[in-house]
Amino acid sequence: MAAWPGLEAAGTEAPSLPAAGLGGRYQIGRVGTYPFQDRPPLVSVTPQGLFCPPGNFHIDPWRPVERALITHAHGDHARGGSQRYLAARAGQGLLHKRLGANTELATLEYGERLTVGETTVSFHPAGHVLGSAQIRIEHRGEVWIVSGDYKRTPDPTCTPFEVVRCDTFITEATFGLPIYRWDDPRLVAEDILRWWDGNREAGRASVLFCYALGKAQRILGELSRLTDRPVLVHGAVNGLVACYREAGVKMVPTQLVSETEKGASFTGALVLAPPSAGGSTWMRRFGDYATAFASGWMRVRGNRRRRGFDRGFVLSDHADWPELLRTVKDTQAARVLATHGFSDQLARYLREQGLDAAPLATPFEGEAED
């Protein structure tokens, strides 16, 4: 077993808790069928975030706490201010970038086990972004998985999702509706390249908006199969690209937009930028340009039209509807709790299929815009 500095001295006494978010013992769906129904929930919702009383730690807390286990580096899951952090080693660079270089951060390799209080915890690949992890918590024979954000489709920039059997599975539901079904991301990358080529021939720049952490690097990684042409990036994307390169992820060459020569033409260039850059003065330098947005939300055509993009590419770092259902089945969980996104709808569908399921309210945003 690995050690987490300071853990032993901190003790394992849990703070007082409000009632669990789903009625104390999560007696939901087929009441009485859960094998550990007589126990308090292993993970509860508190004002600070998800809390594990027998381990005396929080998971992706939304307020500062003493000990925080982190699933991945997106801002709605990795917030600063806590005393100690524990995460998967593959995400160490990104978390230091997010939380600060002096943050007290301990890491574990995927699958490595650690005793925390009365529990045993481990991190397992979630396939969401570099270093993303599901957190497995075991206590007195009961196993919970807190999945964070995850996907099952191939991604050259992160370790593939690992199925972990459990008794209770906390799943995201960002795209928890049947309309959300993803195409092969390799085909999407080919479509992006054709769009870029078409704009080059027309004498335009191509500005592709995408989330700065995860999506941008995934696009750069997918394009590396198809071309070695350099891509220009916004400053918000650049530092995170460096973290991926340091981790050995292959991507096409990149250059900061701000480092291009003064007066240089952007005609024919592909530019990756966060959605927040759209409509800002930063865009003026590109002259004649076409815009696109890469996101799972582009599955609904009206979203592209309402936001004024010329193109929409359906590319998500979250599980689609079939992947959500497949994952629930694969875990063999006796109980499923759905959080963020369409959690009510997913939980209702699972109950209609005879499963013990319910929504779990959290501030997690899923596919957000920063």
Side-chain angles (χ1 to χ4, degrees), residues 57-82:
F57 58 80
H58 288 79
I59 300 169
D60 293 349
W62 38 88
R63 296 179 184 174
V65 297
E66 183 180 354
R67 289 192 292 274
L69 273 64
I70 303 298
T71 60
H72 66 284
H74 275 140
D76 58 329
H77 291 261
R79 291 180 167 92
S82 293

Side-chain angles (χ1 to χ4, degrees), residues 110-358:
Y110 286 132
E112 184 179 0
R113 295 192 173 194
L114 172 67
T115 298
V116 182
E118 300 173 5
T119 69
T120 300
V121 302
S122 54
F123 294 85
H124 302 265
H128 176 56
V129 297
L130 178 66
S132 61
Q134 308 167 79
I135 299 176
R136 181 186 186 273
I137 309 167
E138 182 174 357
H139 175 62
R140 293 168 52 198
E142 183 178 7
V143 176
W144 285 48
I145 293 290
V146 181
S147 65
D149 294 333
Y150 67 92
K151 69 174 180 292
R152 305 291 297 269
T153 51
D155 182 341
T157 67
C158 61
T159 305
F161 180 92
E162 175 188 327
V163 173
V164 184
R165 294 183 181 180
C166 57
D167 300 298
T168 295
F169 183 56
I170 299 182
T171 180
E172 65 148 303
T174 305
F175 292 103
L177 291 178
I179 189 175
Y180 293 110
R181 299 168 187 265
W182 310 145
D183 299 324
D184 186 329
R186 293 169 297 185
L187 299 180
V188 177
E190 292 171 5
D191 202 14
I192 290 173
L193 183 59
R194 282 192 294 270
W195 173 72
W196 180 10
D197 286 340
N199 288 327
R200 289 181 75 194
E201 293 173 3
R204 292 189 294 263
S206 303
V207 182
L208 178 55
F209 295 106
C210 53
Y211 307 131
L213 172 55
K215 190 68 58 63
Q217 296 77 27
R218 187 180 182 192
I219 291 169
L220 295 170
E222 292 286 359
L223 286 175
S224 71
R225 296 184 302 103
L226 307 171
T227 181
D228 60 358
R229 298 203 305 255
V231 172
L232 298 175
V233 296
H234 185 280
V237 173
N238 187 63
L240 301 170
V241 167
C243 290
Y244 274 69
R245 293 200 193 281
E246 291 168 5
V249 175
K250 181 182 178 182
M251 295 175 286
V252 293
T254 54
Q255 180 184 347
L256 263 171
V257 168
S258 61
E259 292 182 352
T260 55
E261 294 182 8
K262 187 175 182 180
S265 172
F266 291 94
T267 299
L270 174 63
V271 183
L272 299 190
S276 58
S280 69
T281 55
W282 184 81
M283 297 289 295
R284 294 177 183 172
R285 69 193 72 195
F286 300 120
D288 186 13
Y289 61 84
T291 61
F293 187 31
S295 170
W297 300 119
M298 294 296 98
R299 175 56 70 198
V300 179
R301 292 182 180 179
N303 288 335
R304 176 182 64 81
R305 291 195 298 269
R306 281 192 296 271
R307 301 182 59 173
F309 298 113
D310 300 312
R311 282 290 304 272
F313 297 105
V314 182
L315 186 67
S316 176
D317 287 326
H318 296 261
D320 65 3
W321 176 256
E323 290 174 346
L324 289 170
L325 301 185
R326 171 187 167 198
T327 304
V328 166
K329 181 179 179 180
D330 287 350
T331 64
Q332 300 183 24
R335 180 170 59 195
V336 179
L337 305 177
T339 183
H340 60 286
F342 295 101
S343 54
D344 289 335
Q345 293 88 336
L346 177 61
R348 185 183 310 120
Y349 177 84
L350 294 175
R351 287 197 302 273
E352 291 171 353
Q353 306 309 304
L355 295 179
D356 189 356

